[in-house]
Amino acid sequence: MNDSLDRTLEAVGPRLKQLRQRRDVTLVELAQETGISVSTLSRLEAGLRRPTLEQLLPLARFYGVTIDELVDAPPTGNPRVTLRPINCDDGSVILPLTRRPGGIQAYKFVLPAGKDDAEPELRTHEGYDWAYVLNGTLRLVLGDHDLLLQPGEAAEFDTRTPHWFGATSAGPVEFLSLIGKQGERAHVRVAPKARPPA
């Protein structure tokens, strides 16, 4: 049990450093935001000091993650509630929102600011996708179309069409994505049109 606890706590430092570097925040800026001294933050990241709950709470708040995510705690309870974010090498984060065999799978994507002149790498795969923008501007390249979607806008397409998602240089983007099997379409209900007065 102690060995497992030691390994878990030793992994916190590198995770804290990675989170800070992804956000492009200095130790001085982090110290100002959390009230934790620069030297303590440096020692935590280097693994020279074990984190306390009083230190983890403001760090988790600043990074917008749970304490479980900071310490990589093992999942407990209902697996649908403890789905963990997937941190990608490019700084993007994918949050699975469902975990069930078959049917539509839901994800929340958080993509860092991109480069407007970046050449997108289009991909294809089996399935059907719906994307809904929550915050920021989502650049969606879909076949020959290069679209900019704003908060509240959505796209629906067959994923056999070459496609690519990204953020613009204006900043990060958050969007929901529903991925279904080939040929599966969204069932959208709309209010009936009002009848013109007679």
Side-chain angles (χ1 to χ4, degrees), residues 28 40 50-51 78 84-85 100 102 108 111 120 124 128 130 157 161-162 164 168-169 182 188 190:
V28 172
T40 298
R50 282 189 167 193
N78 187 331
R84 297 198 178 220
R100 64 187 175 101
K108 179 181 177 185
L111 308 181
T124 62
Y128 208 81
W130 303 268
F157 60 93
T161 303
W164 175 88
T168 66
S169 61
Q182 198 65 50
V188 180
V190 296

Side-chain angles (χ1 to χ4, degrees), residues 54-128:
E54 289 79 14
Q55 294 161 340
L56 290 175
L57 281 171
L59 288 167
R61 265 195 299 269
F62 177 77
Y63 291 124
V65 298
T66 65
I67 291 178
D68 282 357
E69 291 169 52
L70 282 182
V71 300
D72 197 25
T76 59
N78 187 331
R80 290 173 295 181
V81 176
T82 58
L83 295 172
R84 297 198 178 220
I86 302 162
N87 295 303
C88 304
D89 292 337
D90 63 358
S92 59
V93 178
I94 305 169
L95 296 105
L97 302 176
T98 56
R99 182 187 291 161
R100 64 187 175 101
I104 294 174
Q105 302 296 319
Y107 300 90
K108 179 181 177 185
F109 286 81
V110 181
L111 308 181
K115 296 180 179 174
D116 295 331
D117 59 351
E119 189 63 37
E121 209 175 293
L122 277 64
R123 299 180 185 275
T124 62
H125 53 88
E126 291 293 313
Y128 208 81

